[in-house]
């Protein structure tokens, strides 16, 4: 579907700056007034994503005009227009200077004592091609890609790529903020504490290796998960990651608690990933234990609950050592969150 929305109405009006009666000496102005946005549009960004506009006119009778809509500006005025035919071009940018929309008006004839109007249809710019991303590349908050060899501006990075796209696997990125104080997989009063969830059993290469639907699997097995996500602290960290870190639009969707295999993928590219996380002002993995959403086939007997409790998998980011004797209520492990980019 073509992603289009009408953002701007152009009202062309005559404005006399001199009293001359010669038509070619008359002065005119063009005012750009922002209209309402069509609520039913199918786009991946919203009006709030636009920070400023660059408005230009053809023929180029004066320099382009910047309209800072983030600070409430609503008008661009072109002065000294003689009568003739003009066209207006508009480009929309995010606050870090990435163009995400553009459009142009139909030709409009400016005449003496005549008011015309024309609309500009803004087309969303093509989405970035994440299939070309390499480990260490930056994904910025406005969806754009920045090479790992670059240094991003402070506060602009949403994720660092940890896995390049391959086959049916999309590029995978990790959020730059980690829970370094540790979170439990679940609390002792959660249904998930005693539940045996075979759908979440996975190793480095087999079983459950793609965590993108993990929360759905957990909710199906544990009736209290959807209504009480706080009982699943490590899971809830990913569910609330975008909101807590000010991510919006496309960047607010799809964050999830990684599997053991996905943590190992990060470990395989740890040096490159940590270098980029450092540049982004994020949390590095260094040599820490990180908890995964994956469960082991092993279990231990809980005398208090009188049942077997399934164990978890965590990864030590120093040699890739796995830990199969991890308790679901243990909060000594750090947690990160990931997102697929496709």
């Amino acid at each position: 579907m073509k992603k289009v929305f009408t953002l701007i109405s152009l009202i062309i009006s005559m404005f006399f700056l001199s009293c001359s009666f010669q038509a070619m000496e008359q002065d005119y102005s063009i005012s750009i007034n922002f209209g309402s946005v069509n609520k039913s549009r199918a786009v991946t960004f919203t009006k709030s994503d636009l920070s400023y506009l660059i408005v230009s006119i053809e023929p180029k009778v004066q320099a382009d005009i910047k309209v800072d809509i983030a600070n409430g500006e609503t008008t661009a005025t072109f002065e000294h227009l003689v009568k003739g035919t003009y066209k207006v071009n508009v480009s929309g940018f995010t606050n870090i200077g990435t163009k995400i929309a553009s459009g142009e008006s139909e030709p409009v004839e400016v005449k003496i004592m005549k008011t015309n109007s024309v609309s500009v249809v803004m087309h969303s710019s093509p989405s970035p091609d994440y299939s070309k991303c390499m480990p260490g590349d930056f994904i910025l908050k406005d969806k754009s890609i920045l090479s790992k060899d670059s240094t991003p501006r402070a506060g602009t990075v949403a994720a660092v790529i940890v896995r390049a796209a391959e086959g049916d696997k999309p590029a995978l990125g990790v959020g730059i903020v980690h829970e370094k104080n540790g979170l439990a997989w679940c609390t002792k009063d959660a249904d998930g504490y005693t539940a045996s969830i075979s759908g979440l059993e996975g190793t480095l290469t087999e079983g459950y290796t793609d965590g993108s639907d993990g929360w759905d699997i957990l909710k199906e097995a544990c009736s209290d998960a959807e209504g009480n996500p706080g009982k699943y602290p490590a899971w809830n960290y990913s569910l609330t990651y975008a909101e807590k870190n000010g991510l919006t639009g496309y960047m607010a969707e799809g964050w999830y608690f990684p599997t053991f295999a996905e943590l190992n993928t990060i470990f395989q590219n740890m040096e490159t990933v940590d270098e980029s996380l450092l540049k982004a002002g994020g949390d590095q993995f260094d040599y820490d234990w990180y908890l995964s959403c994956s469960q082991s086939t092993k279990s231990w007997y809980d005398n208090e609950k009188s049942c077997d409790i399934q164990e978890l998998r965590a990864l030590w980011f120093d040699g890739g050592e796995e830990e199969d004797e991890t308790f679901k209520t243990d909060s000594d492990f750090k947690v990160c969150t990931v997102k697929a980019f496709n």
Side-chain angles (χ1 to χ4, degrees):
M1 178 184 296
K2 192 155 187 168
K3 301 174 180 176
V4 177
F5 71 100
T6 301
L7 180 65
I8 302 171
S9 295
L10 299 177
I11 300 176
I12 303 180
S13 60
M14 180 184 73
F15 181 73
F16 284 97
L17 293 181
S18 72
C19 294
S20 171
F21 289 99
Q22 298 181 33
M24 293 301 289
E25 296 177 358
Q26 304 304 320
D27 298 325
Y28 301 90
S29 67
I30 295 178
S31 296
I32 299 180
N33 301 307
F34 297 86
S36 60
V37 178
N38 182 355
K39 299 297 185 183
S40 63
R41 69 192 187 283
V43 296
T44 57
F45 61 90
T46 64
K47 183 178 178 182
S48 62
D49 291 321
L50 293 173
S51 177
Y52 64 91
L53 304 177
I54 297 296
V55 186
S56 62
I57 191 167
E58 298 177 13
K60 200 172 185 65
V61 296
Q62 73 175 70
D64 296 347
I65 298 173
K66 180 178 180 179
V67 182
D68 192 348
I69 60 179
N71 288 326
E73 293 183 15
T74 60
T75 304
T77 301
F78 290 99
E79 300 176 343
H80 308 301
L81 296 184
V82 298
K83 72 176 183 178
T85 301
Y86 297 89
K87 185 172 70 172
V88 175
N89 299 302
V90 184
S91 296
F93 296 82
T94 67
N95 63 350
I96 61 173
T98 299
K99 185 168 76 172
I100 60 174
S102 61
E104 62 182 35
S105 74
E106 295 294 328
V108 174
E109 187 176 1
V110 175
K111 298 180 179 180
I112 299 177
M113 302 302 297
K114 180 178 175 62
T115 298
N116 296 316
S117 65
V118 64
S119 64
V120 172
V121 177
M122 299 284 284
H123 301 264
S124 63
S125 298
S127 296
D129 185 2
Y130 297 119
S131 68
K132 306 297 184 184
C133 289
M134 299 300 292
D137 285 349
F138 303 97
I139 305 298
L140 304 186
K141 292 179 180 178
D142 62 13
K143 298 182 5 179
S144 61
I145 304 165
L146 185 67
S147 168
K148 65 182 178 63
D149 299 321
S150 303
T151 299
R153 288 171 51 194
T156 61
V157 179
V160 169
I161 294 297
V162 299
R163 181 189 70 201
E166 182 179 2
D168 60 350
K169 291 183 177 181
L172 186 70
V174 65
I176 68 169
V177 180
H178 305 169
E179 177 47 68
K180 304 286 276 188
N181 293 321
L183 292 171
W185 196 92
C186 71
T187 59
K188 203 164 187 176
D189 61 340
D191 289 350
Y193 180 66
T194 56
S196 178
I197 311 172
S198 59
L200 295 179
E201 293 175 358
T203 67
L204 294 177
T205 58
E206 298 178 343
Y208 188 61
T209 58
D210 176 0
S212 58
D213 62 348
W215 182 244
D216 291 330
I217 294 174
L218 184 69
K219 287 191 296 182
E220 185 174 348
C222 306
S223 60
D224 62 345
E226 185 167 14
N228 297 280
K231 290 186 176 183
Y232 301 87
W235 294 86
N236 195 45
Y237 178 75
S238 292
L239 295 175
T240 59
Y241 182 83
E243 180 181 0
K244 289 180 178 178
N245 289 284
L247 301 177
T248 59
Y250 173 74
M251 285 301 161
E253 306 167 354
W255 294 96
Y256 64 90
F257 187 17
T259 64
F260 186 53
E262 287 167 331
L263 283 181
N264 187 58
T265 296
I266 299 173
F267 170 72
Q268 298 302 320
N269 296 297
M270 176 180 161
E271 183 177 349
T272 299
V273 171
D274 270 352
E275 287 179 0
S276 292
L277 287 170
L278 181 62
K279 284 185 180 181
D283 295 317
Q284 296 176 277
F285 285 89
D286 294 319
Y287 302 109
D288 288 323
W289 282 102
Y290 273 79
L291 184 64
S292 79
C293 72
S294 302
Q295 296 195 94
S296 166
T297 55
K298 295 182 180 180
S299 61
W300 64 281
Y301 190 77
D302 186 327
N303 291 320
E304 180 183 345
K305 294 289 185 178
S306 299
C307 66
D308 289 327
I309 307 297
Q310 204 165 6
E311 295 177 355
L312 307 178
R313 294 188 186 275
L315 189 76
W316 170 236
F317 275 70
D318 182 16
E321 179 184 353
E322 66 180 277
E323 171 65 60
D324 280 333
E325 297 179 353
T326 303
F327 301 135
K328 291 183 176 181
T329 56
D330 192 338
S331 59
D332 289 338
F333 299 93
K334 295 171 175 57
V335 176
C336 64
T337 191
V338 297
K339 172 180 168 66
F341 291 91
N342 50 18

